[in-house]
Amino acid sequence: MPDQITWTPIKEFKEILFTQFGGIAKISINRPQVHNAFTPLTVQEMIEAMRLCQDRTDIGVIILTGDVAFFYDRNAFWHNYALPNLRVVLFNNHGGGIFRIIDGPRQQPELEEFFETRQALTAENTAKDFNLRYFPVSSFEELEAALPVFFAAETGAALLEVFTDSKTNAAFFEEYRAAVKAAFA
């Protein structure tokens, strides 16, 4: 793999970036002036990009999201389109762990009380509701065993739920951030 990945634009949009590297498509909200807040146009553009990915056999689509946002926005699956190539990876740390890696909230003594949202939900019922194959994993061994089946073309639309610990996530993320910073220094 090259030292620096060059993402090639697939199609130009107003509020998202839609790029490709090899068999990977990346759909990113591009509204930094409003901290990437959604608008109806943002959603329309994301849907169009997902449809374009669905029609291309050279692209696999992966959505990475956190648990609170996922459960809040699960209605995104409520549509009339078959998405056999859809792969969703959900990191479930049972509530608001993103705030442990964001400067500002993570330094607050009230982090756990006011920023994190503790919940005991899993995505199993969401997978059933929307006819997604469900792969729950809690260890590296389970993840390693699930990935080949999860990504197999015959699997169809699937949801991989990775159960994690919020504090451990934050520590790993800091290690990752330091490694990326060092690699591009």
Side-chain angles (χ1 to χ4, degrees):
M1 181 169 273
D3 292 336
Q4 187 171 6
I5 294 174
T6 302
W7 292 92
T8 306
I10 297 173
K11 181 176 179 179
E12 296 293 322
F13 288 96
K14 184 176 179 185
E15 295 188 0
I16 68 168
L17 300 175
F18 184 36
T19 55
Q20 178 180 6
F21 175 77
I24 302 168
K26 181 168 66 170
I27 302 168
S28 308
I29 299 172
N30 188 29
R31 302 185 69 233
Q33 69 280 12
V34 290
H35 306 287
N36 287 332
F38 285 82
T39 69
L41 178 60
T42 310
V43 175
Q44 288 173 353
E45 290 181 353
M46 291 175 78
I47 290 170
E48 183 179 345
M50 292 291 282
R51 285 186 183 143
L52 291 169
C53 288
Q54 177 187 359
D55 293 339
R56 293 181 54 169
T57 58
D58 63 323
I59 294 178
V61 177
I62 301 171
I63 300 172
L64 301 177
T65 184
D67 53 355
V68 174
F70 176 83
F71 292 119
Y72 179 78
D73 293 332
R74 70 181 284 249
N75 288 339
F77 295 112
W78 214 308
H79 53 75
N80 297 321
Y81 305 100
L83 300 171
N85 296 331
L86 179 68
R87 300 298 184 271
V88 177
V89 178
L90 166 63
F91 297 101
N92 189 345
N93 59 29
H94 297 291
I98 185 117
F99 293 108
R100 290 189 177 275
I101 61 174
I102 297 173
D103 285 337
R106 72 178 174 173
Q107 287 88 4
Q108 300 303 313
E110 304 87 4
L111 172 68
E112 289 183 20
E113 183 178 0
F114 295 118
F115 288 90
E116 291 188 320
T117 306
R118 295 325 240 157
Q119 50 79 19
L121 297 173
T122 73
E124 183 175 12
N125 286 331
T126 298
K128 286 178 187 174
D129 290 345
F130 298 101
N131 200 27
L132 305 171
R133 288 215 38 209
Y134 178 62
F135 298 86
V137 299
S138 298
S139 68
F140 285 114
E141 293 78 19
E142 290 175 354
L143 179 63
E144 193 171 280
L147 285 176
V149 181
F150 176 72
F151 283 112
E154 61 273 8
T155 296
L159 190 156
L160 173 68
E161 184 168 21
V162 181
F163 294 99
T164 63
D165 172 73
S166 184
K167 292 177 183 175
T168 304
N169 288 353
F172 276 121
F173 183 77
E174 287 306 316
E175 289 177 25
Y176 173 74
R177 186 188 325 216
V180 168
K181 188 175 182 178
F184 290 100

Coordinates of all heavy atoms in Angstrom, one line a residue, residues 46-101:
M46 N -26.2 11.8 0.0 CA -25.6 10.5 0.5 C -26.4 9.3 0.0 O -25.8 8.3 -0.3 CB -25.7 10.6 2.1 CG -24.7 11.6 2.7 SD -24.9 11.7 4.4 CE -24.0 10.3 5.0
I47 N -27.7 9.5 -0.2 CA -28.5 8.4 -0.7 C -28.1 8.1 -2.2 O -27.9 7.0 -2.6 CB -30.0 8.7 -0.6 CG1 -30.5 8.7 0.8 CG2 -30.8 7.8 -1.5 CD1 -31.9 9.2 1.0
E48 N -27.9 9.2 -3.0 CA -27.5 9.0 -4.3 C -26.1 8.3 -4.4 O -25.9 7.4 -5.2 CB -27.4 10.4 -5.1 CG -27.0 10.2 -6.5 CD -27.0 11.6 -7.3 OE1 -27.5 12.6 -6.8 OE2 -26.4 11.6 -8.4
A49 N -25.2 8.7 -3.5 CA -23.9 8.1 -3.5 C -24.0 6.6 -3.1 O -23.3 5.8 -3.7 CB -22.9 8.8 -2.5
M50 N -24.8 6.3 -2.2 CA -25.0 4.9 -1.8 C -25.6 4.1 -2.9 O -25.2 3.0 -3.2 CB -26.0 4.8 -0.6 CG -25.4 5.4 0.7 SD -24.0 4.4 1.3 CE -25.0 3.1 2.1
R51 N -26.5 4.7 -3.7 CA -27.1 4.0 -4.8 C -26.1 3.8 -5.9 O -26.0 2.7 -6.5 CB -28.3 4.8 -5.4 CG -29.5 4.7 -4.6 CD -30.7 5.4 -5.2 NE -31.8 5.4 -4.4 CZ -32.7 6.4 -4.3 NH1 -32.6 7.4 -5.0 NH2 -33.7 6.3 -3.4
L52 N -25.2 4.7 -6.1 CA -24.1 4.6 -7.1 C -23.2 3.4 -6.7 O -22.8 2.6 -7.5 CB -23.3 5.9 -7.3 CG -24.1 7.0 -8.0 CD1 -23.3 8.3 -7.9 CD2 -24.4 6.6 -9.5
C53 N -22.9 3.4 -5.4 CA -22.1 2.3 -4.9 C -22.8 0.9 -5.1 O -22.1 -0.1 -5.4 CB -21.8 2.5 -3.4 SG -20.6 3.8 -3.0
Q54 N -24.1 0.9 -4.8 CA -24.8 -0.3 -4.9 C -24.7 -0.9 -6.3 O -24.7 -2.1 -6.6 CB -26.3 -0.1 -4.5 CG -27.1 -1.3 -4.7 CD -28.6 -1.0 -4.5 OE1 -29.0 0.1 -4.1 NE2 -29.4 -2.0 -4.6
D55 N -24.8 0.0 -7.3 CA -24.8 -0.4 -8.7 C -23.4 -0.8 -9.2 O -23.3 -1.3 -10.3 CB -25.3 0.7 -9.6 CG -26.8 1.0 -9.3 OD1 -27.5 0.1 -8.8 OD2 -27.2 2.1 -9.6
R56 N -22.3 -0.6 -8.5 CA -21.0 -0.9 -8.9 C -20.5 -2.1 -8.2 O -20.4 -2.2 -7.0 CB -20.1 0.3 -8.6 CG -20.4 1.5 -9.5 CD -19.6 2.7 -9.3 NE -18.1 2.3 -9.5 CZ -17.2 3.2 -9.5 NH1 -17.5 4.5 -9.5 NH2 -15.9 2.9 -9.7
T57 N -20.0 -3.1 -8.9 CA -19.5 -4.3 -8.3 C -18.1 -4.2 -7.8 O -17.6 -5.0 -7.0 CB -19.6 -5.5 -9.3 OG1 -18.8 -5.1 -10.5 CG2 -21.0 -5.8 -9.8
D58 N -17.4 -3.1 -8.2 CA -16.0 -2.9 -7.7 C -15.9 -2.1 -6.4 O -14.8 -1.9 -5.9 CB -15.2 -2.1 -8.8 CG -15.8 -0.7 -9.1 OD1 -17.0 -0.5 -9.0 OD2 -14.9 0.2 -9.3
I59 N -17.1 -1.8 -5.8 CA -17.1 -1.0 -4.6 C -17.9 -1.8 -3.5 O -19.0 -2.2 -3.7 CB -17.7 0.4 -4.8 CG1 -16.8 1.2 -5.7 CG2 -17.9 1.1 -3.4 CD1 -17.4 2.6 -6.0
G60 N -17.3 -1.9 -2.3 CA -18.0 -2.3 -1.1 C -18.3 -1.1 -0.2 O -17.4 -0.3 -0.1
V61 N -19.4 -1.0 0.3 CA -19.8 0.1 1.1 C -19.8 -0.2 2.6 O -20.4 -1.2 3.0 CB -21.2 0.7 0.8 CG1 -21.5 1.9 1.7 CG2 -21.2 1.1 -0.7
I62 N -19.1 0.5 3.4 CA -19.0 0.3 4.8 C -19.4 1.6 5.5 O -18.9 2.6 5.2 CB -17.6 -0.1 5.3 CG1 -17.2 -1.4 4.6 CG2 -17.6 -0.3 6.8 CD1 -15.7 -1.7 4.8
I63 N -20.3 1.5 6.5 CA -20.7 2.7 7.3 C -20.1 2.5 8.7 O -20.4 1.4 9.3 CB -22.2 2.8 7.3 CG1 -22.8 3.0 5.9 CG2 -22.6 4.0 8.3 CD1 -24.3 3.0 5.9
L64 N -19.3 3.4 9.1 CA -18.8 3.3 10.5 C -19.6 4.4 11.3 O -19.6 5.6 10.9 CB -17.3 3.6 10.5 CG -16.4 2.7 9.7 CD1 -15.0 3.2 9.7 CD2 -16.5 1.3 10.2
T65 N -20.1 4.0 12.4 CA -20.9 4.9 13.2 C -20.9 4.5 14.7 O -20.5 3.3 15.0 CB -22.4 4.9 12.7 OG1 -23.1 5.9 13.5 CG2 -23.1 3.6 12.8
G66 N -21.2 5.4 15.5 CA -21.2 5.1 17.0 C -22.6 4.7 17.4 O -23.6 4.9 16.7
D67 N -22.7 4.1 18.6 CA -24.0 3.5 19.0 C -25.1 4.5 19.2 O -26.2 4.3 18.8 CB -23.8 2.6 20.3 CG -23.1 3.4 21.4 OD1 -22.6 4.5 21.2 OD2 -22.9 2.8 22.5
V68 N -24.8 5.6 19.9 CA -25.9 6.6 20.1 C -26.5 7.1 18.8 O -27.7 7.1 18.6 CB -25.5 7.7 21.1 CG1 -26.5 8.7 21.2 CG2 -25.1 7.1 22.4
A69 N -25.6 7.5 17.9 CA -26.0 8.0 16.6 C -26.8 6.9 15.9 O -27.8 7.2 15.2 CB -24.8 8.5 15.8
F70 N -26.3 5.7 15.9 CA -26.9 4.6 15.2 C -28.3 4.4 15.7 O -29.2 4.3 14.8 CB -26.0 3.3 15.4 CG -26.7 2.1 14.7 CD1 -26.5 1.9 13.4 CD2 -27.5 1.2 15.5 CE1 -27.0 0.8 12.8 CE2 -28.0 0.1 14.9 CZ -27.8 -0.1 13.5
F71 N -28.5 4.2 17.0 CA -29.8 4.0 17.4 C -30.8 5.1 17.2 O -32.0 5.0 16.9 CB -29.8 3.6 18.9 CG -29.1 2.2 19.1 CD1 -28.0 2.1 19.9 CD2 -29.6 1.1 18.5 CE1 -27.4 0.9 20.1 CE2 -29.0 -0.1 18.7 CZ -27.9 -0.2 19.5
Y72 N -30.2 6.4 17.3 CA -31.0 7.5 17.0 C -31.5 7.6 15.6 O -32.6 8.0 15.2 CB -30.2 8.8 17.4 CG -31.0 10.1 17.1 CD1 -31.9 10.5 18.0 CD2 -30.7 10.9 16.0 CE1 -32.6 11.7 17.8 CE2 -31.4 12.0 15.8 CZ -32.3 12.5 16.7 OH -33.0 13.6 16.5
D73 N -30.6 7.2 14.7 CA -30.8 7.3 13.2 C -31.2 6.0 12.5 O -31.1 5.9 11.3 CB -29.6 7.9 12.5 CG -29.3 9.4 13.0 OD1 -30.3 10.0 13.3 OD2 -28.2 9.8 13.0
R74 N -31.6 5.0 13.2 CA -31.9 3.7 12.6 C -32.9 3.8 11.5 O -33.0 2.9 10.7 CB -32.2 2.7 13.7 CG -33.5 2.9 14.3 CD -33.8 1.8 15.4 NE -34.1 0.6 14.8 CZ -35.3 0.0 14.8 NH1 -36.3 0.6 15.5 NH2 -35.6 -1.1 14.2
N75 N -33.7 4.8 11.5 CA -34.7 5.0 10.5 C -34.1 5.1 9.1 O -34.8 5.1 8.1 CB -35.7 6.2 10.8 CG -36.6 5.8 11.9 OD1 -36.8 4.7 12.3 ND2 -37.1 6.9 12.6
A76 N -32.8 5.4 9.0 CA -32.2 5.4 7.7 C -32.3 4.1 6.9 O -32.3 4.1 5.7 CB -30.7 5.7 7.9
F77 N -32.6 3.0 7.6 CA -32.9 1.7 7.0 C -34.3 1.6 6.4 O -34.6 0.6 5.8 CB -32.6 0.6 7.9 CG -31.1 0.5 8.4 CD1 -30.8 0.8 9.7 CD2 -30.2 0.1 7.5 CE1 -29.5 0.7 10.1 CE2 -28.8 0.1 7.8 CZ -28.5 0.3 9.2
W78 N -35.1 2.6 6.8 CA -36.5 2.5 6.4 C -36.7 3.0 5.0 O -37.0 4.2 4.8 CB -37.4 3.3 7.4 CG -38.7 2.7 7.7 CD1 -39.7 2.3 6.8 CD2 -39.2 2.4 8.9 NE1 -40.8 1.9 7.4 CE2 -40.5 1.9 8.8 CE3 -38.8 2.6 10.2 CZ2 -41.4 1.5 9.8 CZ3 -39.6 2.2 11.3 CH2 -40.9 1.7 11.1
H79 N -36.6 2.2 4.0 CA -36.7 2.6 2.6 C -37.1 1.4 1.8 O -37.3 0.3 2.3 CB -35.4 3.2 2.1 CG -34.2 2.3 2.3 ND1 -34.0 1.2 1.5 CD2 -33.3 2.4 3.2 CE1 -32.9 0.6 1.9 NE2 -32.4 1.3 3.0
N80 N -37.3 1.6 0.5 CA -37.8 0.5 -0.4 C -36.7 0.0 -1.3 O -37.1 -0.6 -2.3 CB -39.0 1.0 -1.2 CG -40.1 1.4 -0.4 OD1 -40.5 0.8 0.6 ND2 -40.8 2.5 -0.7
Y81 N -35.5 0.1 -0.9 CA -34.4 -0.3 -1.8 C -33.6 -1.5 -1.3 O -33.3 -1.5 -0.1 CB -33.4 0.9 -2.1 CG -34.1 2.1 -2.5 CD1 -34.5 3.1 -1.7 CD2 -34.5 2.2 -3.9 CE1 -35.2 4.3 -2.1 CE2 -35.2 3.3 -4.3 CZ -35.5 4.3 -3.4 OH -36.2 5.4 -3.9
A82 N -33.4 -2.5 -2.1 CA -32.6 -3.6 -1.7 C -31.1 -3.1 -1.8 O -30.7 -2.5 -2.8 CB -32.8 -4.8 -2.7
L83 N -30.4 -3.4 -0.8 CA -29.0 -3.0 -0.7 C -28.1 -4.2 -0.3 O -27.5 -4.3 0.7 CB -28.8 -1.9 0.4 CG -29.6 -0.6 0.2 CD1 -29.5 0.3 1.4 CD2 -29.1 0.1 -1.1
P84 N -28.0 -5.2 -1.3 CA -27.2 -6.4 -0.9 C -25.8 -6.2 -0.6 O -25.2 -7.0 0.1 CB -27.4 -7.3 -2.2 CG -27.7 -6.3 -3.3 CD -28.5 -5.2 -2.6
N85 N -25.2 -5.1 -1.1 CA -23.8 -4.8 -0.8 C -23.5 -4.0 0.5 O -22.4 -3.7 0.8 CB -23.1 -4.0 -2.0 CG -23.1 -4.8 -3.3 OD1 -23.1 -6.0 -3.2 ND2 -23.2 -4.1 -4.4
L86 N -24.6 -3.6 1.1 CA -24.5 -2.8 2.3 C -23.8 -3.5 3.5 O -24.3 -4.6 3.8 CB -25.8 -2.2 2.8 CG -25.8 -1.4 4.0 CD1 -25.1 0.0 3.7 CD2 -27.2 -1.1 4.5
R87 N -22.8 -2.9 4.0 CA -22.2 -3.5 5.2 C -22.1 -2.4 6.2 O -21.5 -1.3 6.0 CB -20.8 -4.0 4.9 CG -20.7 -5.1 3.9 CD -21.4 -6.4 4.3 NE -21.3 -7.5 3.4 CZ -22.1 -7.7 2.3 NH1 -23.1 -6.8 2.1 NH2 -21.9 -8.7 1.6
V88 N -22.6 -2.6 7.4 CA -22.6 -1.6 8.5 C -21.8 -2.1 9.6 O -22.0 -3.2 10.1 CB -24.1 -1.2 9.0 CG1 -24.0 -0.2 10.1 CG2 -24.9 -0.7 7.9
V89 N -20.8 -1.3 10.0 CA -20.0 -1.7 11.2 C -20.4 -0.7 12.3 O -20.2 0.5 12.1 CB -18.5 -1.6 10.9 CG1 -17.7 -1.9 12.1 CG2 -18.1 -2.5 9.7
L90 N -20.9 -1.2 13.4 CA -21.3 -0.4 14.5 C -20.4 -0.7 15.7 O -20.3 -1.8 16.1 CB -22.8 -0.8 14.9 CG -23.3 -0.3 16.2 CD1 -23.3 1.2 16.3 CD2 -24.7 -0.9 16.4
F91 N -19.8 0.4 16.2 CA -19.0 0.2 17.4 C -19.9 0.6 18.6 O -20.3 1.8 18.8 CB -17.8 1.1 17.4 CG -16.9 0.8 16.3 CD1 -16.8 1.5 15.1 CD2 -16.0 -0.3 16.4 CE1 -16.0 1.1 14.0 CE2 -15.2 -0.7 15.3 CZ -15.2 0.0 14.2
N92 N -20.3 -0.4 19.4 CA -21.2 -0.1 20.5 C -20.5 -0.2 21.8 O -20.1 -1.3 22.3 CB -22.3 -1.2 20.5 CG -23.4 -0.9 21.5 OD1 -23.2 0.0 22.4 ND2 -24.5 -1.5 21.4
N93 N -20.2 1.0 22.4 CA -19.6 1.1 23.7 C -20.6 1.4 24.8 O -20.3 1.9 25.9 CB -18.4 2.0 23.7 CG -18.8 3.4 23.3 OD1 -19.9 3.9 23.6 ND2 -17.9 4.2 22.7
H94 N -21.9 1.3 24.4 CA -23.0 1.5 25.3 C -23.1 2.9 25.7 O -23.5 3.2 26.9 CB -23.1 0.5 26.4 CG -23.2 -0.9 25.9 ND1 -24.4 -1.4 25.4 CD2 -22.3 -1.9 25.9 CE1 -24.2 -2.6 25.0 NE2 -23.0 -3.0 25.3
G95 N -22.8 3.9 24.9 CA -23.2 5.2 25.1 C -22.2 6.3 25.1 O -21.4 6.5 26.0
G96 N -22.2 7.2 24.0 CA -21.5 8.5 24.0 C -20.0 8.5 24.2 O -19.4 9.5 24.6
G97 N -19.3 7.3 23.9 CA -17.9 7.3 24.0 C -17.1 8.2 23.2 O -15.9 8.5 23.5
I98 N -17.7 8.8 22.1 CA -17.0 9.7 21.3 C -16.5 10.9 22.1 O -15.5 11.5 21.8 CB -17.9 10.2 20.1 CG1 -17.2 11.1 19.1 CG2 -19.2 10.9 20.6 CD1 -17.0 10.6 17.8
F99 N -17.3 11.3 23.1 CA -16.9 12.4 23.9 C -15.6 12.2 24.7 O -15.0 13.2 25.1 CB -18.0 12.9 24.8 CG -19.2 13.4 24.1 CD1 -20.4 12.6 24.0 CD2 -19.2 14.6 23.4 CE1 -21.5 13.1 23.3 CE2 -20.3 15.0 22.7 CZ -21.4 14.3 22.6
R100 N -15.1 11.0 24.8 CA -13.8 10.7 25.4 C -12.7 11.0 24.5 O -11.5 11.1 25.0 CB -13.8 9.3 25.9 CG -14.7 8.9 27.0 CD -14.4 7.6 27.6 NE -15.3 7.4 28.7 CZ -15.0 7.7 29.9 NH1 -13.8 8.3 30.2 NH2 -15.8 7.6 30.9
I101 N -12.9 11.2 23.2 CA -11.8 11.5 22.3 C -11.9 12.9 21.7 O -11.1 13.3 20.9 CB -11.8 10.5 21.2 CG1 -13.0 10.4 20.4 CG2 -11.5 9.1 21.8 CD1 -13.0 9.5 19.2

